[in-house]
């Protein structure tokens, strides 16, 4: 390995380190700005559950430290979610110099779409899925049972759903990238549609809590997003690379 190659490799490592530090600092700054509102944030996230609780029931904390750490943990994840556009900007800044001009023009819309779709998945989960799931679970128990959900257990349940729906809504982006890179084609994906339908339900089973309702509410949007990805992927078919002459 020549000295020039070594120096270039070290420069890339230094740039990667700097961008990782910037990403972590952005999460820290947002977290510090939100920590004062930690309890309010948890109240907002718990609202879909509280709306379905009986008037005499409340949420409980089975751990002495839970009233502090549950809102603290949630605020940290909120800071992470809020920093995603900046983190993706840092990733783009690292890989963009190695791309051709036509590749940049094609990938910028995909990058923007991935951010919008991720937030859309979380919003869909909060405003549509959670009220349906929680309304169902709070209405099927025995009448002699007093429902008192634990704040830490509820937080883990909600965060798992948020991640599942945020990632699942990235399906159109994944399909476009696969077709653009030449790894597959829209025709090939259409031919494998029956297997993909089965695979979607299997993935939903692992990403959601162990109940059929959550799995179905995740699998159906995934199938719709798969069809949307097939439509959009027509504009991202693999083409021979056109290297610019210098």
């Amino acid at each position: 390995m020549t000295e020039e190659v070594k120096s270039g490799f070290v420069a890339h490592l230094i740039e990667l380190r700097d961008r990782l530090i910037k990403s972590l600092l952005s999460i820290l700054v947002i977290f510090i700005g939100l920590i004062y509102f930690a309890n309010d944030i948890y109240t907002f996230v718990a609202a879909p559950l509280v709306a379905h609780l009986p008037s005499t029931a409340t949420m409980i904390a089975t751990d002495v430290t839970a009233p502090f750490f549950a809102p603290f943990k949630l605020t940290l994840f909120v800071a992470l979610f809020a920093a995603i556009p900046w983190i993706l900007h840092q990733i783009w800044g690292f890989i963009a110099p190695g791309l051709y001009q036509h590749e940049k023009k094609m990938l910028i819309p995909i990058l923007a779409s991935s951010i919008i779709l991720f937030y859309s998945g979380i919003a869909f989960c909060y405003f549509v899925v959670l009220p349906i799931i929680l309304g169902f679970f709070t209405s099927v128990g025995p009448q002699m049972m007093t429902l008192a959900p634990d704040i830490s257990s509820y937080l883990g349940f909600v965060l798992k759903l948020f991640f599942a729906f945020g990632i699942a809504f990235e399906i159109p982006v994944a399909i476009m990238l696969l077709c653009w890179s030449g790894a597959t084609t829209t025709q090939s994906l259409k031919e494998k549609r029956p297997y993909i339908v089965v695979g979607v339900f299997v993935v939903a089973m692992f990403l959601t809590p162990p109940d059929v309702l959550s799995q179905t509410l995740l699998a159906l949007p995934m199938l719709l997003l798969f069809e949307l990805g097939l439509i959009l992927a027509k504009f991202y078919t693999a083409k021979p690379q056109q290297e610019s002459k210098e």
Side-chain angles (χ1 to χ4, degrees):
M1 185 180 290
T2 63
E3 289 297 327
E4 183 179 353
V5 174
K6 286 184 179 179
S7 61
F9 180 72
V10 172
H12 282 302
L13 288 179
I14 294 174
E15 182 184 2
L16 179 61
R17 181 203 62 186
D18 293 341
R19 293 191 179 278
L20 286 174
I21 292 174
K22 290 179 181 178
S23 299
L24 293 175
L25 284 177
S26 67
I27 298 174
L28 179 61
V29 169
I30 296 174
F31 173 74
I32 293 174
L34 294 177
I35 192 62
Y36 178 79
F37 306 98
N39 290 333
D40 296 326
I41 294 172
Y42 191 94
T43 300
F44 176 77
V45 173
L49 175 61
V50 174
H52 291 92
L53 289 177
S55 57
T56 57
T58 60
M59 299 183 69
I60 64 171
T62 57
D63 189 353
V64 175
T65 60
F68 171 77
F69 280 109
F72 183 91
K73 179 181 178 181
L74 175 60
T75 305
L76 182 60
F77 276 97
V78 171
L80 173 62
F81 291 157
I84 282 178
W86 175 251
I87 294 173
L88 290 178
H89 172 72
Q90 294 301 315
I91 295 174
W92 174 255
F94 182 73
I95 66 174
L99 299 176
Y100 298 107
Q101 191 63 33
H102 70 279
E103 291 175 332
K104 293 180 182 179
K105 291 181 180 179
M106 296 184 71
L107 289 179
I108 288 177
I110 290 181
L111 182 65
S113 300
S114 65
I115 298 174
I116 296 173
L117 286 171
F118 183 80
Y119 287 139
S120 298
I122 295 177
F124 178 80
C125 178
Y126 179 82
F127 291 105
V128 178
V129 176
L130 280 181
I132 295 175
I133 294 177
L134 297 175
F136 172 75
F137 286 143
T138 55
S139 63
V140 296
Q143 293 184 354
M144 76 286 296
M145 179 189 68
T146 300
L147 184 64
D150 176 64
I151 60 174
S152 297
S153 298
Y154 175 74
L155 178 60
F157 172 80
V158 169
L159 288 178
K160 186 175 182 180
L161 284 178
F162 282 168
F163 271 113
F165 278 86
I167 294 173
F169 270 56
E170 300 291 341
I171 288 177
V173 173
I175 292 176
M176 287 188 289
L177 287 175
L178 288 172
C179 293
W180 175 71
S181 64
T184 187
T185 62
T186 55
Q187 184 60 35
S188 176
L189 291 174
K190 289 178 181 178
E191 294 173 354
K192 298 175 182 176
R193 185 181 279 118
Y195 305 101
I196 292 175
V197 171
V198 175
V200 162
F201 278 91
V202 172
V203 171
M205 179 180 65
F206 285 102
L207 291 179
T208 58
D211 63 274
V212 177
L213 184 59
S214 300
Q215 296 165 12
T216 304
L217 289 174
L218 177 59
L220 292 179
M222 288 174 69
L223 292 175
L224 293 176
L225 290 167
F226 169 74
E227 298 297 332
L228 176 62
L230 291 180
I231 296 174
L232 297 177
K234 295 178 180 178
F235 302 99
Y236 285 84
T237 54
K239 296 179 180 179
Q241 286 188 348
Q242 298 177 356
E243 298 184 5
S244 57
K245 296 182 180 179
E246 295 184 2

